[in-house]
């Protein structure tokens, strides 16, 4: 890789061992992917929850902080594994609480913002077109690339921390024009009607065209979807297909037309989505006649608009099974100020801050609370949580609320 004089000095340890480690790590990544140089990034976003890191990962972060590691650019943090206000009450172990507190302490010492959110793009760090980022959460990266027109690869936890310490990343993948061009065509014969439908679309496309380097081009829609709808689309694509980018014609800055999206290339394959196809995504998660053991809203975390919608649907009703709604601390404060939180809590909804359900030692929660059937409006959560021993049922937001209130899954 071609290094500037400053980069050579950083790699030589001119500002300490932590930055030298970061440069060594990034050089190894860059050489593996054939990068020719580094590119400067504006911000980093790190996934470092306690369940994933465990004791060795926590010690690694503490060692970096002890070595004097300090961020050069803004560094935000993805959701953690526990809501400190209710961890023990909902059946989590004290050990995960301790690990998360140590992670936060180490990261804050390095200069990170303890945001614990996967919707940083809706709250604290709104991306814009053409800028380079070092983001790590799948849903944040695909949103930044496809909706904002920013440029980022999926940066794993150590890679995102390294980028925060050096202010740069190797220039490969979705930092380059050639990797951002469309590869497959998805034609909409019928418009998705709500956020869950957009998640169902992501489920179908991801299953058909899995692979990090695929860039689906979605065309044919007549309505410009809202931010929470494209949020669900991107999260599902990243979950089912490992995609880091898509083009939504007329929305993605680089895809004002279908021709723009493909950049002169031809799609190697295509698929058509109609109402029956969208319904098939829901039907692939059959209820099997079971009553819900828990209903979960979130993944990605809920926005203020989504909490307002939930409050309207739950108003005057009472949940007959456990209901979790996950969001960020910033959004929860807004929901409390606007009265949405009071309405939801009165209905029996537990509002969780700084977490996503599948990160919350989900297997232990299932065992300790006798949870099996989980109903959710998130296509992404439905895809992931089965690996933790749950039977997921993916439905629209309205159907999930009805399932919680009636203790019965309809349809």
């Amino acid at each position: 890789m071609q290094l500037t004089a400053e980069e050579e000095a950083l790699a030589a340890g001119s500002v300490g061992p932590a930055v030298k480690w970061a440069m060594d790590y990034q050089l190894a990544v860059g050489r593996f992917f054939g990068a020719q140089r580094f590119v400067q990034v504006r911000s980093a976003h790190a996934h470092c929850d306690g369940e994933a890191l465990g004791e060795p990962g926590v010690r690694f972060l503490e060692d970096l902080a002890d070595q004097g590691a300090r961020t050069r650019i803004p560094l935000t943090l993805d959701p953690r594994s526990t809501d400190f206000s209710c961890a023990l009450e909902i059946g989590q172990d004290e050990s995960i609480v301790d690990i998360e507190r140590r992670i936060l302490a180490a990261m804050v010492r390095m200069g990170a913002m303890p945001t614990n959110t996967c919707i940083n793009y809706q709250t604290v760090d709104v991306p814009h077109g053409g800028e380079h980022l070092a983001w790590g959460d799948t849903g944040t990266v695909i949103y930044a690339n496809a909706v904002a027109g920013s440029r980022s690869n999926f940066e794993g936890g150590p890679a995102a921390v390294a980028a925060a310490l050096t202010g740069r990343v190797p220039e490969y993948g979705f930092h380059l024009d050639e990797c951002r061009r469309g590869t497959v065509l998805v034609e909409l014969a019928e418009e998705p009607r709500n956020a869950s439908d957009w998640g169902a679309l992501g489920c179908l496309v991801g299953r058909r065209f899995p692979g990090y380097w695929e860039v689906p081009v979605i065309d044919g829609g007549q309505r410009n979807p809202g931010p929470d709808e494209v949020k669900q689309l991107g999260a599902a694509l990243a979950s089912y297909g490992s995609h880091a980018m898509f083009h939504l014609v007329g929305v993605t800055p680089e895809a004002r037309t279908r021709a723009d999206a493909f950049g002169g290339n031809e799609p190697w394959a295509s698929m058509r989505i109609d109402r029956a196809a969208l319904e098939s995504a829901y039907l692939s998660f059959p209820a099997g006649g079971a009553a819900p053991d828990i209903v979960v809203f979130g993944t990605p975390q809920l926005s203020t608009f989504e909490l307002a919608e939930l409050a309207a649907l739950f108003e005057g009703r009472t949940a007959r099974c456990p209901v979790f709604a996950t969001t960020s601390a910033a959004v929860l404060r807004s929901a409390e100020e606007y009265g949405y939180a009071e309405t939801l809590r009165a209905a029996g909804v537990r509002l969780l801050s700084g977490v996503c359900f599948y990160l919350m030692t989900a297997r232990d929660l299932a065992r300790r609370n006798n949870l099996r059937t989980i109903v959710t409006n998130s296509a992404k959560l439905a895809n992931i949580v089965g690996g933790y021993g749950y039977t997921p049922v993916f439905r629209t937001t309205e159907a999930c609320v009805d399932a919680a209130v009636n203790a019965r899954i309809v349809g």
Side-chain angles (χ1 to χ4, degrees), residues 82-103:
T82 191
D83 181 333
F84 297 128
S85 70
C86 63
L88 302 183
E89 181 183 345
I90 64 175
Q92 290 189 287
D93 193 81
E94 182 71 46
S95 61
I96 193 65
V97 177
D98 176 64
I99 283 177
E100 286 291 356
R101 291 194 188 281
R102 289 169 59 195
I103 289 171

Side-chain angles (χ1 to χ4, degrees), residues 137-286:
D137 175 86
T138 51
T140 68
V141 170
I142 197 169
Y143 192 99
N145 282 326
V147 181
S150 303
R151 299 185 171 218
S152 181
N153 292 308
F154 289 151
E155 299 288 353
V161 172
L165 299 182
T166 67
R168 62 205 74 215
V169 294
E171 189 183 38
Y172 74 93
F174 292 94
H175 293 283
L176 303 173
D177 290 343
E178 54 265 33
C179 290
R180 299 174 66 85
R181 297 177 186 130
T183 62
V184 295
L185 176 64
V186 179
E187 295 188 279
L188 294 180
E190 181 163 338
E191 199 88 42
R193 299 171 183 171
N194 50 52
S196 297
D197 272 6
W198 285 98
L201 172 62
C203 163
L204 295 170
V205 176
R207 284 172 171 170
R208 173 73 192 282
F209 302 118
Y212 182 64
W213 302 112
E214 295 292 357
V215 181
V217 175
I218 303 169
D219 195 11
Q222 302 301 311
R223 179 177 65 86
N224 195 324
D228 290 316
E229 293 174 317
V230 289
K231 175 175 78 174
Q232 289 296 333
L233 169 64
L237 281 170
S239 179
Y240 291 85
S242 299
H243 298 153
M245 184 168 184
F246 63 90
H247 288 291
L248 188 58
V249 175
V251 174
T252 303
E254 296 155 76
R256 293 306 174 193
T257 66
R258 183 186 294 189
D260 288 345
F262 284 105
N265 297 333
E266 292 293 327
W268 71 264
S270 64
M271 69 183 297
R272 181 176 179 273
I273 302 292
D274 56 16
R275 190 69 226 170
L278 292 173
E279 292 295 338
S280 73
Y282 295 106
L283 293 173
S284 67
F285 295 94

Side-chain angles (χ1 to χ4, degrees), residues 280-347:
S280 73
Y282 295 106
L283 293 173
S284 67
F285 295 94
D293 295 316
I294 187 170
V295 176
V296 177
F297 300 95
T299 309
Q301 289 174 339
L302 300 172
S303 70
T304 306
F305 294 129
E306 289 172 306
L307 286 173
E309 178 189 12
L310 275 184
L313 291 170
F314 270 109
E315 188 168 14
R317 308 170 80 184
T318 302
R320 295 172 57 193
C321 69
V323 181
F324 288 178
T326 62
T327 189
S328 69
V331 170
L332 181 56
R333 284 193 293 270
S334 296
E336 288 171 338
E337 180 180 351
Y338 303 154
Y340 309 143
E342 181 180 1
T343 299
L344 289 167
R345 286 170 178 148

Side-chain angles (χ1 to χ4, degrees), residues 44 64-65 68-77 103-115 161 164-165:
L64 278 181
R70 297 296 181 269
T71 59
R72 291 183 162 217
I73 57 175
L75 171 61
T76 53
L77 301 182
I103 289 171
L104 278 180
M107 296 302 288
V108 169
R109 284 170 60 198
M110 286 189 269
M113 299 178 183
T115 51
V161 172
L165 299 182

